[in-house]
Amino acid sequence: MATTRKPKPIAAPQPGWAVYLRTSSDENQKPELSRARQRFVIEKNVLERSELPVYEEYVDVLSGKTPVRKGYQKLLEDARLGKFSFVVVERADRFGRNDTEALRAIDELYDFGVAVRFANSPDLDPMDPDDRVIVTLSFTLARRESALLGIRVKGGLQAKRQEGGYVSLAPDGYLNVEARTTQDVKKLQGRVAHWIEQDPERAPIWRYAWDLLLEDRLTLDEIAEALHAKGYRYRSGRPFVEVSPKGKRKPNISTLSNAFHNWTYAGWIVSPNNGIPPKTLLGNWKPLVTTEEFERGLEILAHRNQHRSVRRKQDYLLKGMIFYFVHEGKSLARLTGSTSNAGRPGGGTQYYRVAGAGGISFLCCDIDKQIPLELSRIQVDPELVPVIRASYTYELADKLGHLRPDDRLQLQAALKAVDDEETRMVRLFAAGKITEAIWDNLWAEWQDRRNQLRRSLESLDQEREIHINNLDIALEIIAKIGLLYNSLDRSDQKELLRQVVDRVVVNSDGKIRLELRTPFAYLKDLTDEIRTIERRKGMRPQMKTSGNYSASSQEQCSNWLQSGWGGRIRTYECRIQSPEPCRLATPQ
């Protein structure tokens, strides 16, 4: 187990601003232009209104989905040293697209006395209970945007594959080529066309390697030796055979074997992850070997591998999502999967361990068996689901403006104004006081205004319906997650954890804590508040399946359901014979 040390005292922050600029590595625009735009917005909306100096500017050109960013980590380090009192970014998603990591960093900065501000909403305080919901929602939407971008990119790659194009780095023996398109095809294929073609220098080397394989006389080690004897190397510069100072020879055959299994050399597009099996989609490049030669090479390799024992690949349930809590710096260290004596008949003993920090390791079985128990603790009592749904729906919709009648009333009033104006003009038109041409122009204008207003009303309804549907799905999952998890097989358990849990944190005693994704984290917090109040009051809510409440249940609702952040109290006022079960009210 890891030893703990007394935490270092936190330095009082010096008054000043830290500016954080981030540009995604996959953005189409030039990073310097993106940074200039961010810098302008920050300067105009925040820094010009403040008399505090700017301590330093921290810059990253990397996706916000990962916290392992040089500038970002340097900013956190300087914050711990008290070098500034404020951090400003253009928007919340510039700070990070991983909502749990970004909010945890904001809370950590707050503990150091450093406040975070967003230039697009300078008055937004992520530590304020109401503003916190908006900030959390912005992170969630940013992550959704990243997911949608990934879907669009995958769709574009799939479309290119279907047209016979190659979508990644060309294998050794081929070259990636690009050229600007002509004016005629620019609208269909974009400004730059990409394809692959045979490398005149490297293609003969691999044709020679294939000839050696198809003779079925030499092993892969001997083929590597034959290529090395001619002075050939891999495209990366790595030799086919490494010779140690003592003369020991080590053929590098893994890349060679992968090349002999790559259908690209036969001119076929193959992608198991995208459902493209061999010999179904022909590429638009010249093959290095024929399909018959390629299949003959596969047969030769398969025959040689018949009697080889393949070492089983270890499966770690929490791979990539388990961290160790380092108390001294209040930071987290990623745990990796490791198996001691993996060659043993039983497969060895699996551990989660901190790389390079000897002695910090935990048995996988001890960690994994805690997962069902922790998941059962976040389950929602089915009797509480209606109340939680009402509370969550109100909290989210209120912040988005869906439940405030102002917008809807204004749109409806605007529609009525258009109708009234049209009625008045009809009288003038009938009296011959306006011409038919003027009437036609006015009528077209009214129709455009009506369509815009009606689309706005439909958008309000659709957006609210989407959020409520997402809420119902989350409630259904979290209400059954304990039972659901135990009934799944290993692969489905891993997928479920990655949908619900952002990461698993282990302390020095080997006890775990689950950090949930949005909205599951919010639902868990709200459920815990309700359970706490139930225990404090010593009563259970009297819920009716019809959604209507009696006069006695109205008093119970208002008494026992009090939730919120930072001392704010929300109570439910239930109305008898109302189509809606509850109306959320905030005491003045």
Side-chain angles (χ1 to χ4, degrees), residues 178-191:
E178 65 177 36
R180 298 189 69 85
T181 58
T182 62
Q183 190 67 27
D184 297 336
V185 299
K186 183 186 297 184
K187 294 182 179 180
L188 297 176
Q189 300 182 4
R191 296 180 179 179

Side-chain angles (χ1 to χ4, degrees), residues 216-231:
D216 199 11
R217 293 185 305 103
L218 305 180
T219 64
L220 289 183
D221 288 354
E222 292 170 339
I223 293 176
E225 290 284 359
L227 294 170
H228 182 74
K230 288 184 171 290

Side-chain angles (χ1 to χ4, degrees), residues 534-547:
E534 285 183 27
R535 289 193 295 267
R536 189 177 303 162
K537 296 291 186 180
M539 64 177 64
R540 297 282 295 175
Q542 302 297 322
M543 306 288 297
K544 291 188 176 182
T545 56
S546 65

Side-chain angles (χ1 to χ4, degrees), residues 526-567:
L526 181 57
T527 304
D528 291 343
E529 291 174 3
I530 294 175
R531 287 173 175 168
T532 300
I533 295 170
E534 285 183 27
R535 289 193 295 267
R536 189 177 303 162
K537 296 291 186 180
M539 64 177 64
R540 297 282 295 175
Q542 302 297 322
M543 306 288 297
K544 291 188 176 182
T545 56
S546 65
N548 296 325
Y549 299 87
S550 64
S552 61
S553 67
Q554 175 183 353
E555 181 180 357
Q556 291 175 350
C557 245
S558 179
N559 284 337
W560 71 263
L561 182 56
Q562 300 177 349
S563 59
W565 299 276

